[in-house]
Amino acid sequence: MTTIAVTGHMDLTEDSVPLVRAELEKILAAYEPADLVGVSCIARGSDSLFAEAVLAVGGRLVVVIPSRDYREAKVKPDHAATFDRLVGAAQEVVVMPYATASREAYEAANAVLLERAERLVAVWNGQPPTGKGGGTADVVYEARGAGLPVDVVWPDGASRRA
């Protein structure tokens, strides 16, 4: 069994989505589908692209939801159908013990991702942490600090919305 978690930017440009999707598919193609488990918080952008790619290659999906109110409080209408479909397709759904979505809940969810994973895929532009905590760069730094292998995905032409 190979368990791979994801962290990544939520604000990919529309043109970046197919570039990132193709890179994720290349990475996941190296694994035996029957032995592949992807762990994702399924937020908009990178997290959902990764979850969809795991399912597309025949792997199993574990979803980590940061708080009990996350769906209602944080999932925007244009992402709701994708979020619900991925929750429904998940082999396991872990809901963190927080009533409301907060920085603390996001950091705890990220900790679960790293605890479960043998590798981390980071859809990351390489910029350092903002200092707010819980962001993509923070997760990458934590993973590297823990000795977890990190595969950075940032294909030529990828960018974030302004």
Side-chain angles (χ1 to χ4, degrees), residues 14-65:
E14 190 175 317
D15 291 343
S16 299
V17 169
L19 302 173
V20 169
R21 181 179 285 124
E23 289 300 310
L24 292 172
E25 289 169 356
K26 281 185 208 170
I27 288 172
L28 296 176
Y31 297 93
E32 176 60 42
D35 295 331
L36 177 64
V37 177
V39 185
S40 175
C41 291
I42 66 170
R44 165 195 312 279
S46 303
D47 287 9
S48 291
L49 290 173
F50 174 82
E52 290 170 335
V54 167
L55 293 170
V57 299
R60 286 170 278 171
L61 178 63
V62 174
V63 169
V64 180
I65 298 176

Side-chain angles (χ1 to χ4, degrees), residues 4-10 38-55 60-67 70-71 74-76 78-95 106 109-110 113:
I4 305 173
V6 67
T7 189
H9 299 304
M10 296 174 62
V39 185
S40 175
C41 291
I42 66 170
R44 165 195 312 279
S46 303
D47 287 9
S48 291
L49 290 173
F50 174 82
E52 290 170 335
V54 167
L55 293 170
R60 286 170 278 171
L61 178 63
V62 174
V63 169
V64 180
I65 298 176
S67 64
Y70 185 82
R71 167 68 171 78
K74 296 295 179 181
V75 177
K76 304 288 187 237
D78 64 341
H79 182 62
T82 299
F83 184 91
D84 292 343
R85 181 174 42 78
L86 292 171
V87 166
Q91 173 185 320
E92 180 185 358
V93 178
V94 177
V95 180
Y106 300 144
N110 288 336
L113 293 177

